[in-house]
Amino acid sequence: MKKIKSYLHNKPHIWMIGISMLFMIGVFIRIFISYIQAFDTALLEENKAYLSEIADHIAVYTESVLKDSENALQNAGNALFVFKEDQRMRYLTNMVNREGFTYAGYADQSGNFISTDSYMNHNITSEVAFQNALQGKSTISDLTQEILR
């Protein structure tokens, strides 16, 4: 141990090289940490922009699907009574399968809802859609309430 101390004491340039190396390592570590922080910030901003873009695409797609579904239901409603009563369920069943709906149905003048899913058949005289239909207004009812019952 004494030899090493005397060697380092007699050779000050070794101390300088050692201190310089430690300083360079410290600078390198600081630069590396700064780079990682900048990369993390840039990555976070890119992810926010990408997720915002995806959210926009999802919103546009969802709106398109809802509009297509609304059009399909409107067309079915307009065409349904062209069919004879014994052909209506076949028409609705084909539409449900083609469009991927859970079920579809229609109401007779007494308010009896007749559906492609027999569990959904019930009287709808008190519902807004039926009341609007009696007044000649076109309405697509809120099917979510029916599914969640």
Side-chain angles (χ1 to χ4, degrees), residues 82-132:
V82 171
F83 295 99
K84 293 178 183 173
E85 193 165 340
D86 62 334
Q87 295 175 334
R88 290 180 186 162
M89 267 308 120
R90 185 173 42 168
Y91 170 74
L92 286 178
T93 301
N94 287 338
M95 184 205 58
V96 165
N97 292 336
R98 182 181 63 247
E99 299 294 334
F101 294 151
T102 305
Y103 67 92
Y106 66 94
D108 62 17
Q109 290 182 343
S110 302
N112 296 313
F113 183 72
I114 303 160
S115 172
T116 55
D117 180 353
S118 62
Y119 291 109
M120 300 309 296
N121 293 349
H122 63 286
N123 190 287
I124 61 167
T125 53
S126 63
E127 293 191 20
V128 174
F130 183 74
Q131 297 297 322
N132 287 344

mmCIF file of all heavy atoms in Angstrom, residues 82-132:
data_model
loop_
_atom_site.group_PDB
_atom_site.id
_atom_site.type_symbol
_atom_site.label_atom_id
_atom_site.label_comp_id
_atom_site.label_asym_id
_atom_site.label_seq_id
_atom_site.Cartn_x
_atom_site.Cartn_y
_atom_site.Cartn_z
ATOM 1 N N VAL A 82 -94.135 -3.660 -47.685
ATOM 2 C CA VAL A 82 -94.344 -4.077 -49.069
ATOM 3 C C VAL A 82 -94.536 -5.600 -49.103
ATOM 4 O O VAL A 82 -95.250 -6.128 -49.950
ATOM 5 C CB VAL A 82 -93.139 -3.652 -49.945
ATOM 6 C CG1 VAL A 82 -93.223 -4.244 -51.333
ATOM 7 C CG2 VAL A 82 -93.036 -2.137 -49.986
ATOM 8 N N PHE A 83 -93.900 -6.260 -48.117
ATOM 9 C CA PHE A 83 -93.973 -7.725 -48.045
ATOM 10 C C PHE A 83 -95.277 -8.166 -47.389
ATOM 11 O O PHE A 83 -95.815 -7.479 -46.524
ATOM 12 C CB PHE A 83 -92.792 -8.286 -47.236
ATOM 13 C CG PHE A 83 -91.463 -8.058 -47.884
ATOM 14 C CD1 PHE A 83 -90.654 -7.008 -47.492
ATOM 15 C CD2 PHE A 83 -91.029 -8.907 -48.893
ATOM 16 C CE1 PHE A 83 -89.428 -6.792 -48.087
ATOM 17 C CE2 PHE A 83 -89.797 -8.704 -49.491
ATOM 18 C CZ PHE A 83 -89.001 -7.637 -49.088
ATOM 19 N N LYS A 84 -95.722 -9.337 -47.785
ATOM 20 C CA LYS A 84 -96.874 -9.935 -47.115
ATOM 21 C C LYS A 84 -96.450 -10.297 -45.702
ATOM 22 O O LYS A 84 -95.275 -10.528 -45.427
ATOM 23 C CB LYS A 84 -97.335 -11.181 -47.871
ATOM 24 C CG LYS A 84 -97.890 -10.870 -49.235
ATOM 25 C CD LYS A 84 -98.293 -12.139 -49.948
ATOM 26 C CE LYS A 84 -98.771 -11.783 -51.349
ATOM 27 N NZ LYS A 84 -99.035 -12.966 -52.158
ATOM 28 N N GLU A 85 -97.430 -10.369 -44.810
ATOM 29 C CA GLU A 85 -97.120 -10.601 -43.401
ATOM 30 C C GLU A 85 -96.325 -11.877 -43.170
ATOM 31 O O GLU A 85 -95.431 -11.912 -42.328
ATOM 32 C CB GLU A 85 -98.410 -10.625 -42.578
ATOM 33 C CG GLU A 85 -98.139 -10.544 -41.091
ATOM 34 C CD GLU A 85 -99.379 -10.217 -40.294
ATOM 35 O OE1 GLU A 85 -100.356 -9.687 -40.844
ATOM 36 O OE2 GLU A 85 -99.342 -10.504 -39.096
ATOM 37 N N ASP A 86 -96.578 -12.929 -43.916
ATOM 38 C CA ASP A 86 -95.854 -14.188 -43.721
ATOM 39 C C ASP A 86 -94.421 -14.126 -44.257
ATOM 40 O O ASP A 86 -93.615 -15.006 -43.967
ATOM 41 C CB ASP A 86 -96.621 -15.361 -44.354
ATOM 42 C CG ASP A 86 -96.789 -15.205 -45.863
ATOM 43 O OD1 ASP A 86 -96.779 -14.061 -46.360
ATOM 44 O OD2 ASP A 86 -96.934 -16.246 -46.540
ATOM 45 N N GLN A 87 -94.052 -13.090 -45.001
ATOM 46 C CA GLN A 87 -92.694 -12.950 -45.544
ATOM 47 C C GLN A 87 -91.856 -11.926 -44.771
ATOM 48 O O GLN A 87 -90.653 -11.826 -44.983
ATOM 49 C CB GLN A 87 -92.762 -12.520 -47.014
ATOM 50 C CG GLN A 87 -93.398 -13.552 -47.918
ATOM 51 C CD GLN A 87 -93.550 -13.016 -49.335
ATOM 52 O OE1 GLN A 87 -93.635 -11.809 -49.558
ATOM 53 N NE2 GLN A 87 -93.588 -13.934 -50.295
ATOM 54 N N ARG A 88 -92.464 -11.190 -43.879
ATOM 55 C CA ARG A 88 -91.754 -10.118 -43.166
ATOM 56 C C ARG A 88 -90.629 -10.644 -42.272
ATOM 57 O O ARG A 88 -89.538 -10.077 -42.243
ATOM 58 C CB ARG A 88 -92.744 -9.294 -42.335
ATOM 59 C CG ARG A 88 -93.648 -8.456 -43.186
ATOM 60 C CD ARG A 88 -94.618 -7.660 -42.356
ATOM 61 N NE ARG A 88 -95.560 -6.978 -43.239
ATOM 62 C CZ ARG A 88 -96.707 -6.487 -42.835
ATOM 63 N NH1 ARG A 88 -97.059 -6.562 -41.565
ATOM 64 N NH2 ARG A 88 -97.502 -5.896 -43.696
ATOM 65 N N MET A 89 -90.895 -11.698 -41.528
ATOM 66 C CA MET A 89 -89.871 -12.233 -40.626
ATOM 67 C C MET A 89 -88.669 -12.760 -41.412
ATOM 68 O O MET A 89 -87.531 -12.580 -40.997
ATOM 69 C CB MET A 89 -90.429 -13.345 -39.741
ATOM 70 C CG MET A 89 -90.949 -12.891 -38.414
ATOM 71 S SD MET A 89 -89.779 -11.897 -37.487
ATOM 72 C CE MET A 89 -90.715 -10.422 -37.327
ATOM 73 N N ARG A 90 -88.914 -13.388 -42.539
ATOM 74 C CA ARG A 90 -87.806 -13.883 -43.363
ATOM 75 C C ARG A 90 -86.969 -12.702 -43.854
ATOM 76 O O ARG A 90 -85.746 -12.742 -43.819
ATOM 77 C CB ARG A 90 -88.342 -14.706 -44.537
ATOM 78 C CG ARG A 90 -87.235 -15.339 -45.346
ATOM 79 C CD ARG A 90 -87.765 -16.272 -46.384
ATOM 80 N NE ARG A 90 -88.940 -15.641 -47.017
ATOM 81 C CZ ARG A 90 -89.505 -16.063 -48.105
ATOM 82 N NH1 ARG A 90 -89.054 -17.136 -48.700
ATOM 83 N NH2 ARG A 90 -90.547 -15.449 -48.619
ATOM 84 N N TYR A 91 -87.639 -11.631 -44.284
ATOM 85 C CA TYR A 91 -86.941 -10.425 -44.731
ATOM 86 C C TYR A 91 -86.102 -9.835 -43.590
ATOM 87 O O TYR A 91 -84.921 -9.517 -43.759
ATOM 88 C CB TYR A 91 -87.941 -9.394 -45.248
ATOM 89 C CG TYR A 91 -87.336 -8.038 -45.508
ATOM 90 C CD1 TYR A 91 -86.513 -7.812 -46.603
ATOM 91 C CD2 TYR A 91 -87.571 -6.963 -44.641
ATOM 92 C CE1 TYR A 91 -85.945 -6.576 -46.836
ATOM 93 C CE2 TYR A 91 -87.022 -5.722 -44.865
ATOM 94 C CZ TYR A 91 -86.211 -5.535 -45.969
ATOM 95 O OH TYR A 91 -85.646 -4.308 -46.188
ATOM 96 N N LEU A 92 -86.699 -9.697 -42.420
ATOM 97 C CA LEU A 92 -85.981 -9.130 -41.273
ATOM 98 C C LEU A 92 -84.832 -10.029 -40.827
ATOM 99 O O LEU A 92 -83.755 -9.547 -40.477
ATOM 100 C CB LEU A 92 -86.943 -8.873 -40.107
ATOM 101 C CG LEU A 92 -87.878 -7.684 -40.263
ATOM 102 C CD1 LEU A 92 -88.807 -7.587 -39.065
ATOM 103 C CD2 LEU A 92 -87.106 -6.392 -40.442
ATOM 104 N N THR A 93 -85.065 -11.347 -40.840
ATOM 105 C CA THR A 93 -84.004 -12.282 -40.445
ATOM 106 C C THR A 93 -82.822 -12.176 -41.399
ATOM 107 O O THR A 93 -81.658 -12.154 -40.959
ATOM 108 C CB THR A 93 -84.546 -13.730 -40.411
ATOM 109 O OG1 THR A 93 -85.618 -13.780 -39.473
ATOM 110 C CG2 THR A 93 -83.468 -14.711 -39.998
ATOM 111 N N ASN A 94 -83.086 -12.072 -42.678
ATOM 112 C CA ASN A 94 -82.004 -11.899 -43.655
ATOM 113 C C ASN A 94 -81.256 -10.592 -43.411
ATOM 114 O O ASN A 94 -80.026 -10.543 -43.480
ATOM 115 C CB ASN A 94 -82.548 -11.934 -45.088
ATOM 116 C CG ASN A 94 -82.953 -13.324 -45.505
ATOM 117 O OD1 ASN A 94 -82.496 -14.317 -44.951
ATOM 118 N ND2 ASN A 94 -83.832 -13.414 -46.496
ATOM 119 N N MET A 95 -81.993 -9.528 -43.114
ATOM 120 C CA MET A 95 -81.356 -8.245 -42.840
ATOM 121 C C MET A 95 -80.501 -8.309 -41.575
ATOM 122 O O MET A 95 -79.376 -7.814 -41.556
ATOM 123 C CB MET A 95 -82.406 -7.138 -42.701
ATOM 124 C CG MET A 95 -81.760 -5.762 -42.522
ATOM 125 S SD MET A 95 -82.763 -4.534 -41.692
ATOM 126 C CE MET A 95 -83.121 -5.262 -40.136
ATOM 127 N N VAL A 96 -81.032 -8.928 -40.529
ATOM 128 C CA VAL A 96 -80.284 -9.057 -39.268
ATOM 129 C C VAL A 96 -78.986 -9.824 -39.509
ATOM 130 O O VAL A 96 -77.915 -9.413 -39.042
ATOM 131 C CB VAL A 96 -81.154 -9.755 -38.191
ATOM 132 C CG1 VAL A 96 -80.309 -10.236 -37.019
ATOM 133 C CG2 VAL A 96 -82.237 -8.817 -37.701
ATOM 134 N N ASN A 97 -79.052 -10.905 -40.241
ATOM 135 C CA ASN A 97 -77.849 -11.699 -40.522
ATOM 136 C C ASN A 97 -76.860 -10.924 -41.392
ATOM 137 O O ASN A 97 -75.652 -10.961 -41.155
ATOM 138 C CB ASN A 97 -78.228 -13.020 -41.201
ATOM 139 C CG ASN A 97 -78.967 -13.940 -40.262
ATOM 140 O OD1 ASN A 97 -78.840 -13.846 -39.040
ATOM 141 N ND2 ASN A 97 -79.761 -14.832 -40.814
ATOM 142 N N ARG A 98 -77.353 -10.229 -42.395
ATOM 143 C CA ARG A 98 -76.496 -9.477 -43.317
ATOM 144 C C ARG A 98 -75.813 -8.310 -42.610
ATOM 145 O O ARG A 98 -74.628 -8.063 -42.813
ATOM 146 C CB ARG A 98 -77.335 -8.972 -44.495
ATOM 147 C CG ARG A 98 -76.551 -8.213 -45.545
ATOM 148 C CD ARG A 98 -77.418 -7.714 -46.691
ATOM 149 N NE ARG A 98 -78.420 -6.758 -46.233
ATOM 150 C CZ ARG A 98 -79.740 -6.975 -46.242
ATOM 151 N NH1 ARG A 98 -80.242 -8.110 -46.700
ATOM 152 N NH2 ARG A 98 -80.586 -6.053 -45.806
ATOM 153 N N GLU A 99 -76.558 -7.600 -41.780
ATOM 154 C CA GLU A 99 -76.030 -6.392 -41.138
ATOM 155 C C GLU A 99 -75.335 -6.666 -39.806
ATOM 156 O O GLU A 99 -74.696 -5.787 -39.247
ATOM 157 C CB GLU A 99 -77.160 -5.374 -40.915
ATOM 158 C CG GLU A 99 -77.837 -4.908 -42.178
ATOM 159 C CD GLU A 99 -76.923 -4.103 -43.088
ATOM 160 O OE1 GLU A 99 -75.961 -3.476 -42.589
ATOM 161 O OE2 GLU A 99 -77.160 -4.106 -44.305
ATOM 162 N N GLY A 100 -75.490 -7.882 -39.267
ATOM 163 C CA GLY A 100 -74.858 -8.205 -37.994
ATOM 164 C C GLY A 100 -75.596 -7.646 -36.792
ATOM 165 O O GLY A 100 -75.001 -7.431 -35.737
ATOM 166 N N PHE A 101 -76.894 -7.394 -36.935
ATOM 167 C CA PHE A 101 -77.680 -6.888 -35.816
ATOM 168 C C PHE A 101 -77.997 -8.019 -34.846
ATOM 169 O O PHE A 101 -77.953 -9.195 -35.198
ATOM 170 C CB PHE A 101 -79.007 -6.292 -36.308
ATOM 171 C CG PHE A 101 -78.854 -5.061 -37.165
ATOM 172 C CD1 PHE A 101 -79.794 -4.761 -38.130
ATOM 173 C CD2 PHE A 101 -77.788 -4.202 -37.010
ATOM 174 C CE1 PHE A 101 -79.673 -3.629 -38.918
ATOM 175 C CE2 PHE A 101 -77.649 -3.075 -37.789
ATOM 176 C CZ PHE A 101 -78.596 -2.785 -38.748
ATOM 177 N N THR A 102 -78.340 -7.658 -33.628
ATOM 178 C CA THR A 102 -78.757 -8.634 -32.632
ATOM 179 C C THR A 102 -80.158 -9.140 -32.961
ATOM 180 O O THR A 102 -80.431 -10.330 -32.923
ATOM 181 C CB THR A 102 -78.745 -8.019 -31.218
ATOM 182 O OG1 THR A 102 -77.444 -7.493 -30.969
ATOM 183 C CG2 THR A 102 -79.082 -9.045 -30.173
ATOM 184 N N TYR A 103 -81.039 -8.209 -33.262
ATOM 185 C CA TYR A 103 -82.394 -8.557 -33.677
ATOM 186 C C TYR A 103 -83.009 -7.337 -34.354
ATOM 187 O O TYR A 103 -82.479 -6.228 -34.278
ATOM 188 C CB TYR A 103 -83.267 -9.000 -32.494
ATOM 189 C CG TYR A 103 -83.572 -7.907 -31.501
ATOM 190 C CD1 TYR A 103 -84.725 -7.141 -31.633
ATOM 191 C CD2 TYR A 103 -82.715 -7.639 -30.442
ATOM 192 C CE1 TYR A 103 -85.003 -6.134 -30.729
ATOM 193 C CE2 TYR A 103 -82.986 -6.633 -29.546
ATOM 194 C CZ TYR A 103 -84.131 -5.878 -29.693
ATOM 195 O OH TYR A 103 -84.410 -4.875 -28.806
ATOM 196 N N ALA A 104 -84.129 -7.554 -34.994
ATOM 197 C CA ALA A 104 -84.915 -6.463 -35.572
ATOM 198 C C ALA A 104 -86.375 -6.876 -35.493
ATOM 199 O O ALA A 104 -86.694 -8.066 -35.355
ATOM 200 C CB ALA A 104 -84.512 -6.199 -37.020
ATOM 201 N N GLY A 105 -87.243 -5.918 -35.565
ATOM 202 C CA GLY A 105 -88.655 -6.239 -35.498
ATOM 203 C C GLY A 105 -89.503 -5.079 -35.943
ATOM 204 O O GLY A 105 -88.986 -4.031 -36.339
ATOM 205 N N TYR A 106 -90.792 -5.282 -35.888
ATOM 206 C CA TYR A 106 -91.746 -4.239 -36.234
ATOM 207 C C TYR A 106 -92.933 -4.350 -35.303
ATOM 208 O O TYR A 106 -93.143 -5.362 -34.649
ATOM 209 C CB TYR A 106 -92.181 -4.353 -37.700
ATOM 210 C CG TYR A 106 -92.961 -5.601 -38.014
ATOM 211 C CD1 TYR A 106 -94.358 -5.596 -37.991
ATOM 212 C CD2 TYR A 106 -92.315 -6.794 -38.316
ATOM 213 C CE1 TYR A 106 -95.078 -6.750 -38.260
ATOM 214 C CE2 TYR A 106 -93.024 -7.951 -38.591
ATOM 215 C CZ TYR A 106 -94.403 -7.921 -38.570
ATOM 216 O OH TYR A 106 -95.116 -9.059 -38.827
ATOM 217 N N ALA A 107 -93.689 -3.277 -35.243
ATOM 218 C CA ALA A 107 -94.873 -3.266 -34.383
ATOM 219 C C ALA A 107 -96.118 -3.226 -35.256
ATOM 220 O O ALA A 107 -96.157 -2.532 -36.277
ATOM 221 C CB ALA A 107 -94.841 -2.055 -33.462
ATOM 222 N N ASP A 108 -97.124 -3.982 -34.840
ATOM 223 C CA ASP A 108 -98.409 -3.897 -35.550
ATOM 224 C C ASP A 108 -99.184 -2.699 -35.002
ATOM 225 O O ASP A 108 -98.713 -1.989 -34.111
ATOM 226 C CB ASP A 108 -99.190 -5.215 -35.444
ATOM 227 C CG ASP A 108 -99.563 -5.579 -34.014
ATOM 228 O OD1 ASP A 108 -99.518 -4.701 -33.125
ATOM 229 O OD2 ASP A 108 -99.911 -6.753 -33.781
ATOM 230 N N GLN A 109 -100.367 -2.451 -35.521
ATOM 231 C CA GLN A 109 -101.126 -1.260 -35.137
ATOM 232 C C GLN A 109 -101.593 -1.300 -33.689
ATOM 233 O O GLN A 109 -101.912 -0.264 -33.110
ATOM 234 C CB GLN A 109 -102.322 -1.072 -36.076
ATOM 235 C CG GLN A 109 -101.895 -0.663 -37.461
ATOM 236 C CD GLN A 109 -103.079 -0.432 -38.387
ATOM 237 O OE1 GLN A 109 -104.190 -0.865 -38.110
ATOM 238 N NE2 GLN A 109 -102.823 0.250 -39.489
ATOM 239 N N SER A 110 -101.584 -2.479 -33.079
ATOM 240 C CA SER A 110 -101.981 -2.604 -31.667
ATOM 241 C C SER A 110 -100.807 -2.380 -30.725
ATOM 242 O O SER A 110 -100.963 -2.407 -29.514
ATOM 243 C CB SER A 110 -102.561 -3.996 -31.416
ATOM 244 O OG SER A 110 -103.661 -4.231 -32.243
ATOM 245 N N GLY A 111 -99.596 -2.204 -31.278
ATOM 246 C CA GLY A 111 -98.411 -1.978 -30.448
ATOM 247 C C GLY A 111 -97.690 -3.246 -30.064
ATOM 248 O O GLY A 111 -96.810 -3.218 -29.212
ATOM 249 N N ASN A 112 -98.031 -4.363 -30.681
ATOM 250 C CA ASN A 112 -97.329 -5.612 -30.401
ATOM 251 C C ASN A 112 -96.048 -5.651 -31.229
ATOM 252 O O ASN A 112 -96.086 -5.611 -32.457
ATOM 253 C CB ASN A 112 -98.206 -6.818 -30.749
ATOM 254 C CG ASN A 112 -99.432 -6.862 -29.883
ATOM 255 O OD1 ASN A 112 -99.345 -6.702 -28.668
ATOM 256 N ND2 ASN A 112 -100.588 -7.061 -30.499
ATOM 257 N N PHE A 113 -94.912 -5.695 -30.542
ATOM 258 C CA PHE A 113 -93.612 -5.741 -31.208
ATOM 259 C C PHE A 113 -93.326 -7.184 -31.577
ATOM 260 O O PHE A 113 -93.293 -8.067 -30.720
ATOM 261 C CB PHE A 113 -92.520 -5.189 -30.283
ATOM 262 C CG PHE A 113 -91.165 -5.141 -30.915
ATOM 263 C CD1 PHE A 113 -90.881 -4.208 -31.904
ATOM 264 C CD2 PHE A 113 -90.168 -6.016 -30.515
ATOM 265 C CE1 PHE A 113 -89.631 -4.148 -32.476
ATOM 266 C CE2 PHE A 113 -88.911 -5.968 -31.095
ATOM 267 C CZ PHE A 113 -88.634 -5.031 -32.078
ATOM 268 N N ILE A 114 -93.105 -7.423 -32.852
ATOM 269 C CA ILE A 114 -92.839 -8.764 -33.374
ATOM 270 C C ILE A 114 -91.393 -8.751 -33.851
ATOM 271 O O ILE A 114 -91.029 -7.982 -34.739
ATOM 272 C CB ILE A 114 -93.810 -9.112 -34.521
ATOM 273 C CG1 ILE A 114 -95.245 -8.971 -34.003
ATOM 274 C CG2 ILE A 114 -93.528 -10.502 -35.053
ATOM 275 C CD1 ILE A 114 -96.262 -8.806 -35.099
ATOM 276 N N SER A 115 -90.567 -9.612 -33.244
ATOM 277 C CA SER A 115 -89.128 -9.542 -33.448
ATOM 278 C C SER A 115 -88.560 -10.837 -34.018
ATOM 279 O O SER A 115 -89.161 -11.898 -33.891
ATOM 280 C CB SER A 115 -88.461 -9.254 -32.097
ATOM 281 O OG SER A 115 -87.073 -9.362 -32.190
ATOM 282 N N THR A 116 -87.369 -10.706 -34.601
ATOM 283 C CA THR A 116 -86.643 -11.896 -35.052
ATOM 284 C C THR A 116 -86.152 -12.711 -33.855
ATOM 285 O O THR A 116 -85.839 -13.879 -33.994
ATOM 286 C CB THR A 116 -85.438 -11.498 -35.927
ATOM 287 O OG1 THR A 116 -84.608 -10.589 -35.203
ATOM 288 C CG2 THR A 116 -85.885 -10.873 -37.231
ATOM 289 N N ASP A 117 -86.084 -12.095 -32.692
ATOM 290 C CA ASP A 117 -85.749 -12.778 -31.440
ATOM 291 C C ASP A 117 -87.043 -12.847 -30.617
ATOM 292 O O ASP A 117 -87.504 -11.845 -30.085
ATOM 293 C CB ASP A 117 -84.680 -12.000 -30.692
ATOM 294 C CG ASP A 117 -84.273 -12.626 -29.378
ATOM 295 O OD1 ASP A 117 -84.901 -13.623 -28.947
ATOM 296 O OD2 ASP A 117 -83.325 -12.124 -28.754
ATOM 297 N N SER A 118 -87.619 -14.024 -30.519
ATOM 298 C CA SER A 118 -88.936 -14.167 -29.880
ATOM 299 C C SER A 118 -88.945 -13.693 -28.423
ATOM 300 O O SER A 118 -89.998 -13.332 -27.901
ATOM 301 C CB SER A 118 -89.417 -15.615 -29.976
ATOM 302 O OG SER A 118 -88.534 -16.475 -29.293
ATOM 303 N N TYR A 119 -87.799 -13.668 -27.762
ATOM 304 C CA TYR A 119 -87.742 -13.183 -26.380
ATOM 305 C C TYR A 119 -87.994 -11.680 -26.296
ATOM 306 O O TYR A 119 -88.315 -11.158 -25.234
ATOM 307 C CB TYR A 119 -86.388 -13.505 -25.742
ATOM 308 C CG TYR A 119 -86.173 -14.977 -25.505
ATOM 309 C CD1 TYR A 119 -85.271 -15.693 -26.268
ATOM 310 C CD2 TYR A 119 -86.895 -15.649 -24.520
ATOM 311 C CE1 TYR A 119 -85.078 -17.059 -26.058
ATOM 312 C CE2 TYR A 119 -86.706 -16.999 -24.302
ATOM 313 C CZ TYR A 119 -85.809 -17.702 -25.077
ATOM 314 O OH TYR A 119 -85.625 -19.034 -24.865
ATOM 315 N N MET A 120 -87.851 -10.990 -27.416
ATOM 316 C CA MET A 120 -88.020 -9.542 -27.425
ATOM 317 C C MET A 120 -89.450 -9.128 -27.781
ATOM 318 O O MET A 120 -89.770 -7.945 -27.740
ATOM 319 C CB MET A 120 -87.040 -8.899 -28.406
ATOM 320 C CG MET A 120 -85.574 -9.169 -28.068
ATOM 321 S SD MET A 120 -85.110 -8.795 -26.363
ATOM 322 C CE MET A 120 -85.356 -7.052 -26.317
ATOM 323 N N ASN A 121 -90.300 -10.067 -28.113
ATOM 324 C CA ASN A 121 -91.683 -9.741 -28.448
ATOM 325 C C ASN A 121 -92.403 -9.224 -27.203
ATOM 326 O O ASN A 121 -92.398 -9.875 -26.159
ATOM 327 C CB ASN A 121 -92.413 -10.971 -29.003
ATOM 328 C CG ASN A 121 -91.868 -11.417 -30.351
ATOM 329 O OD1 ASN A 121 -91.088 -10.720 -30.978
ATOM 330 N ND2 ASN A 121 -92.282 -12.588 -30.787
ATOM 331 N N HIS A 122 -93.014 -8.047 -27.315
ATOM 332 C CA HIS A 122 -93.775 -7.466 -26.215
ATOM 333 C C HIS A 122 -94.598 -6.294 -26.755
ATOM 334 O O HIS A 122 -94.469 -5.900 -27.914
ATOM 335 C CB HIS A 122 -92.867 -7.020 -25.061
ATOM 336 C CG HIS A 122 -91.898 -5.938 -25.429
ATOM 337 N ND1 HIS A 122 -90.779 -6.157 -26.194
ATOM 338 C CD2 HIS A 122 -91.896 -4.618 -25.126
ATOM 339 C CE1 HIS A 122 -90.114 -5.020 -26.354
ATOM 340 N NE2 HIS A 122 -90.777 -4.065 -25.714
ATOM 341 N N ASN A 123 -95.403 -5.720 -25.894
ATOM 342 C CA ASN A 123 -96.244 -4.599 -26.296
ATOM 343 C C ASN A 123 -95.478 -3.300 -26.076
ATOM 344 O O ASN A 123 -94.907 -3.092 -25.003
ATOM 345 C CB ASN A 123 -97.551 -4.592 -25.487
ATOM 346 C CG ASN A 123 -98.529 -3.603 -26.049
ATOM 347 O OD1 ASN A 123 -98.356 -2.402 -25.894
ATOM 348 N ND2 ASN A 123 -99.560 -4.119 -26.717
ATOM 349 N N ILE A 124 -95.465 -2.439 -27.083
ATOM 350 C CA ILE A 124 -94.680 -1.200 -27.003
ATOM 351 C C ILE A 124 -95.546 0.058 -27.125
ATOM 352 O O ILE A 124 -95.045 1.122 -27.489
ATOM 353 C CB ILE A 124 -93.570 -1.184 -28.077
ATOM 354 C CG1 ILE A 124 -94.168 -1.241 -29.485
ATOM 355 C CG2 ILE A 124 -92.568 -2.289 -27.860
ATOM 356 C CD1 ILE A 124 -93.175 -0.924 -30.578
ATOM 357 N N THR A 125 -96.814 -0.038 -26.794
ATOM 358 C CA THR A 125 -97.706 1.122 -26.969
ATOM 359 C C THR A 125 -97.257 2.349 -26.179
ATOM 360 O O THR A 125 -97.535 3.474 -26.580
ATOM 361 C CB THR A 125 -99.154 0.771 -26.564
ATOM 362 O OG1 THR A 125 -99.160 0.230 -25.243
ATOM 363 C CG2 THR A 125 -99.770 -0.205 -27.538
ATOM 364 N N SER A 126 -96.528 2.150 -25.090
ATOM 365 C CA SER A 126 -96.105 3.294 -24.263
ATOM 366 C C SER A 126 -94.756 3.878 -24.699
ATOM 367 O O SER A 126 -94.348 4.915 -24.167
ATOM 368 C CB SER A 126 -96.027 2.874 -22.799
ATOM 369 O OG SER A 126 -95.052 1.867 -22.636
ATOM 370 N N GLU A 127 -94.089 3.261 -25.656
ATOM 371 C CA GLU A 127 -92.764 3.750 -26.059
ATOM 372 C C GLU A 127 -92.866 4.889 -27.065
ATOM 373 O O GLU A 127 -93.784 4.956 -27.877
ATOM 374 C CB GLU A 127 -91.932 2.602 -26.625
ATOM 375 C CG GLU A 127 -91.592 1.577 -25.559
ATOM 376 C CD GLU A 127 -90.560 0.567 -25.992
ATOM 377 O OE1 GLU A 127 -89.819 0.835 -26.951
ATOM 378 O OE2 GLU A 127 -90.498 -0.487 -25.350
ATOM 379 N N VAL A 128 -91.879 5.796 -27.006
ATOM 380 C CA VAL A 128 -91.853 6.998 -27.830
ATOM 381 C C VAL A 128 -91.853 6.652 -29.320
ATOM 382 O O VAL A 128 -92.553 7.292 -30.108
ATOM 383 C CB VAL A 128 -90.615 7.867 -27.481
ATOM 384 C CG1 VAL A 128 -90.483 9.044 -28.423
ATOM 385 C CG2 VAL A 128 -90.680 8.322 -26.041
ATOM 386 N N ALA A 129 -91.092 5.639 -29.710
ATOM 387 C CA ALA A 129 -91.014 5.280 -31.128
ATOM 388 C C ALA A 129 -92.388 4.889 -31.659
ATOM 389 O O ALA A 129 -92.765 5.270 -32.772
ATOM 390 C CB ALA A 129 -90.023 4.142 -31.331
ATOM 391 N N PHE A 130 -93.161 4.139 -30.875
ATOM 392 C CA PHE A 130 -94.489 3.725 -31.319
ATOM 393 C C PHE A 130 -95.437 4.917 -31.382
ATOM 394 O O PHE A 130 -96.207 5.073 -32.339
ATOM 395 C CB PHE A 130 -95.052 2.637 -30.400
ATOM 396 C CG PHE A 130 -96.377 2.119 -30.860
ATOM 397 C CD1 PHE A 130 -96.462 1.272 -31.956
ATOM 398 C CD2 PHE A 130 -97.547 2.482 -30.207
ATOM 399 C CE1 PHE A 130 -97.691 0.803 -32.394
ATOM 400 C CE2 PHE A 130 -98.780 2.023 -30.643
ATOM 401 C CZ PHE A 130 -98.855 1.176 -31.742
ATOM 402 N N GLN A 131 -95.363 5.788 -30.371
ATOM 403 C CA GLN A 131 -96.203 6.996 -30.363
ATOM 404 C C GLN A 131 -95.886 7.874 -31.578
ATOM 405 O O GLN A 131 -96.801 8.407 -32.211
ATOM 406 C CB GLN A 131 -95.996 7.786 -29.066
ATOM 407 C CG GLN A 131 -96.413 7.049 -27.811
ATOM 408 C CD GLN A 131 -97.902 6.745 -27.791
ATOM 409 O OE1 GLN A 131 -98.716 7.556 -28.228
ATOM 410 N NE2 GLN A 131 -98.251 5.573 -27.299
ATOM 411 N N ASN A 132 -94.610 8.010 -31.916
ATOM 412 C CA ASN A 132 -94.216 8.784 -33.098
ATOM 413 C C ASN A 132 -94.736 8.132 -34.368
ATOM 414 O O ASN A 132 -95.164 8.818 -35.298
ATOM 415 C CB ASN A 132 -92.704 8.937 -33.168
ATOM 416 C CG ASN A 132 -92.166 9.912 -32.148
ATOM 417 O OD1 ASN A 132 -92.907 10.708 -31.572
ATOM 418 N ND2 ASN A 132 -90.866 9.851 -31.905
#
